[in-house]
């Protein structure tokens, strides 16, 4: 599992400990975590949730009248630091 996946799993575990059911998904350039947030989440739980997603590269809260509140977080996958980022034909 890439480092982004490990970080995302750690965030998901912290969200679960705060009472949310988190879902982790691998993508080409990042790993995402999503969790539905009930309106009854306590202030203390919100603090724990915000501390958890603060470990991500980006996070936010998507609110709709149809689906309620979905918390999301994204951990970017590491970009190669060598000169072959573009492949063999693009070396510096």
């Amino acid at each position: 599992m890439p480092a982004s996946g490990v970080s995302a799993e750690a965030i998901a575990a912290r969200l679960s400990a705060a009472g949310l059911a988190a879902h982790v998904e691998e993508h080409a350039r990042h790993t995402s975590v999503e969790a539905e947030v009930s309106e009854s989440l306590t202030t203390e739980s919100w603090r724990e949730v915000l501390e958890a997603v603060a470990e991500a590269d980006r996070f936010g809260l998507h609110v709709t009248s149809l689906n309620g509140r979905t918390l999301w977080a994204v951990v970017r996958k590491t970009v190669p630091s060598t000169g072959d980022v573009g492949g063999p034909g693009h070396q510096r």
Side-chain angles (χ1 to χ4, degrees), residues 42-61:
T42 66
T43 302
E44 184 58 37
S45 292
W46 265 114
R47 284 189 189 106
E48 293 173 28
V49 165
L50 292 175
E51 286 176 9
V53 295
E55 300 297 319
D57 293 310
R58 294 182 300 148
F59 66 88
L61 183 66

Side-chain angles (χ1 to χ4, degrees), residues 55-68:
E55 300 297 319
D57 293 310
R58 294 182 300 148
F59 66 88
L61 183 66
H62 184 78
V63 180
T64 68
S65 60
L66 296 175
N67 297 335

Side-chain angles (χ1 to χ4, degrees), residues 6-78:
V6 173
S7 295
E9 289 289 346
I11 291 169
R14 290 180 68 186
L15 293 177
S16 294
L20 304 181
H23 172 74
V24 177
E25 190 172 326
E26 289 288 332
H27 300 274
R29 296 186 178 168
H30 67 274
T31 305
S32 64
V33 180
E34 288 189 0
E36 296 300 316
V37 181
S38 72
E39 292 189 27
S40 63
L41 196 66
T42 66
T43 302
E44 184 58 37
S45 292
W46 265 114
R47 284 189 189 106
E48 293 173 28
V49 165
L50 292 175
E51 286 176 9
V53 295
E55 300 297 319
D57 293 310
R58 294 182 300 148
F59 66 88
L61 183 66
H62 184 78
V63 180
T64 68
S65 60
L66 296 175
N67 297 335
R69 303 185 301 182
T70 303
L71 179 71
W72 59 269
V74 171
V75 180
R76 281 184 240 122
K77 293 185 177 177
T78 305

